[in-house]
Amino acid sequence: MVRSLNWGLLALLALSHSIPALALSSASPILAPEVGPDCAQGFKHDGKITGTNVTVAGVPTYYSKPAKSTTGPKKVILFFADIYSPFYINNQLLQDYFASEGFHVLGIDYFFGDPIQAHDGEPGFNQTAWINKSRAQADESLPKWTEAVKKQYGADAKFAAVGYCFGGPYVLEISATDNVVAGAFAHPSGVTEDHFNKLTKPLLLSTAELDAAFPVASRNRALEILATNKAKYHAQLFSGVGHGFATRADLSDENAVWAKDQSAKTVVEWFKRFTT
Ligand SMILES: *[C@@H]1O[C@H](CO)[C@@H](O)[C@H](O)[C@H]1NC(C)=O
Ligand SMILES: *[C@@H]1O[C@H](CO)[C@@H](O)[C@H](O)[C@H]1NC(C)=O
Ligand SMILES: *[C@@H]1O[C@H](CO)[C@@H](O)[C@H](O)[C@H]1NC(C)=O
């Protein structure tokens, strides 16, 4: 799979795309490269969490349930975390917020207790190898985890998926199936044109002006594909913020806080639209 290739090969693929005469591969053009240095930048948040630890199909999972009992079919959000994992406080608070809006939220820990911050300051840490290992774990665990969650909530429930950075491609992949009714991502890593071409479900793109990993040119290309395919989508673009804005905002920066909050609110509105 393209997204598990190493940086050198990605650069080669990118080059082959910009110089068609040198086409070295028939792989789909890359719109956001694999997780890089930008994905481990940002600010840690603070707060009281309301969710719990559960295990689903053998995979550690953060679960946050709606505060008040809701009527009608259950609404479930599958949360695909950035490289800090769904157990990182920022991501827990975000999942709790979605739950407070009436969703059952399940965050799969495809890092199996080994998120990026476990390697902070580790001498000789090989991020490429860690990403490769994590992608392999996610590829292996996501299908059985999704199946177990779907079975647990039953046929009447409505499922949607949101993903950040590392979790972005999984949103696009599941939004090409009938396992969800809608998808949403912010600052994705490791996505190609094919990911957008294959979509069959509505997609929210929450994007940042200064995101070097998913720059405005990539966003525009993605939107062009979605429009050509007559897909249902909504895109938002926030000025003055970059990669990680939706999960690791600087809380002392008014613009960054506004973008983070508005991104989360839009995810909620987007999912309410398709799950009620
Ligand atoms: C839940 O799991 C996370 C990640 O493994 C761990 O840090 C945390 O202590 C666990 N919390 C509880 C209440 O067991
Ligand atoms: C890091 O891991 C990758 C993938 O396993 C490997 O190709 C590369 O040689 C490693 N780099 C170093 C400096 O060990
Ligand atoms: C990537 O991970 C897979 C599965 O763990 C392994 O078989 C493969 O050798 C790894 N590749 C690199 C370049 O590390």
Side-chain angles (χ1 to χ4, degrees):
M1 226 167 301
V2 161
R3 61 166 194 267
S4 49
L5 296 179
N6 65 33
W7 283 100
L9 202 44
L10 281 175
L12 210 57
L13 287 172
L15 190 68
S16 74
H17 177 52
S18 57
I19 309 172
L22 276 181
L24 299 171
S25 165
S26 59
S28 176
I30 291 161
L31 293 182
E34 184 50 286
V35 168
D38 289 353
C39 307
Q41 304 287 324
F43 295 80
K44 188 171 182 176
H45 300 164
D46 192 22
K48 187 169 155 34
I49 62 164
T50 55
T52 54
N53 292 11
V54 297
T55 301
V56 178
V59 190
T61 300
Y62 184 73
Y63 169 56
S64 198
K65 65 171 192 280
K68 40 184 185 275
S69 60
T70 49
T71 53
K74 286 188 170 134
K75 299 182 285 181
V76 184
I77 293 180
L78 311 179
F79 184 93
F80 301 151
D82 61 18
I83 55 177
Y84 289 81
S85 101
F87 292 109
Y88 188 56
I89 181 76
N90 298 24
N91 290 329
Q92 291 176 313
L93 295 171
L94 182 55
Q95 290 169 93
D96 291 350
Y97 165 69
F98 293 146
S100 77
E101 290 289 331
F103 295 90
H104 294 261
V105 185
L106 291 111
I108 176 174
D109 183 15
Y110 30 49
F111 304 107
F112 289 85
D114 183 32
I116 192 75
Q117 66 272 26
H119 302 280
D120 277 354
E122 180 181 309
F125 173 59
N126 186 335
Q127 182 166 304
T128 306
W130 178 85
I131 296 286
N132 181 41
K133 178 199 78 158
S134 302
R135 288 287 184 207
Q137 288 172 176
D139 289 342
E140 204 270 316
S141 61
L142 255 171
K144 61 179 185 175
W145 181 88
T146 302
E147 197 187 319
V149 172
K150 294 214 63 167
K151 195 174 282 176
Q152 185 179 328
Y153 285 94
D156 291 343
K158 298 281 182 70
F159 299 85
V162 63
Y164 300 85
C165 182
F166 182 95
Y170 305 117
V171 164
L172 294 170
E173 287 163 16
I174 203 168
S175 299
T177 74
D178 291 331
N179 281 330
V180 294
V181 294
F185 70 50
H187 44 84
S189 293
V191 302
T192 67
E193 291 195 0
D194 267 1
H195 276 123
F196 293 91
N197 266 314
K198 289 179 179 163
L199 276 184
T200 57
K201 297 299 184 296
L203 179 71
L204 169 69
L205 303 86
S206 190
T207 68
E209 180 191 30
L210 308 177
D211 184 352
F214 190 63
V216 170
S218 289
R219 187 190 73 114
N220 290 346
R221 177 64 189 134
L223 293 179
E224 195 172 67
I225 292 168
L226 296 173
T228 301
N229 295 346
K230 303 212 179 326
K232 190 170 278 179
Y233 63 92
H234 176 65
Q236 57 182 187
L237 176 61
F238 296 102
S239 63
V241 291
H243 194 78
F245 79 95
T247 50
R248 300 183 306 279
D250 177 355
L251 300 183
S252 69
D253 175 346
E254 181 276 332
N255 185 64
V257 171
W258 192 84
K260 167 184 91 74
D261 290 347
Q262 204 60 35
S263 172
K265 283 178 191 170
T266 312
V267 170
V268 164
E269 292 306 310
W270 185 247
F271 287 167
K272 281 185 177 170
R273 178 178 170 196
F274 299 103
T275 56
T276 45

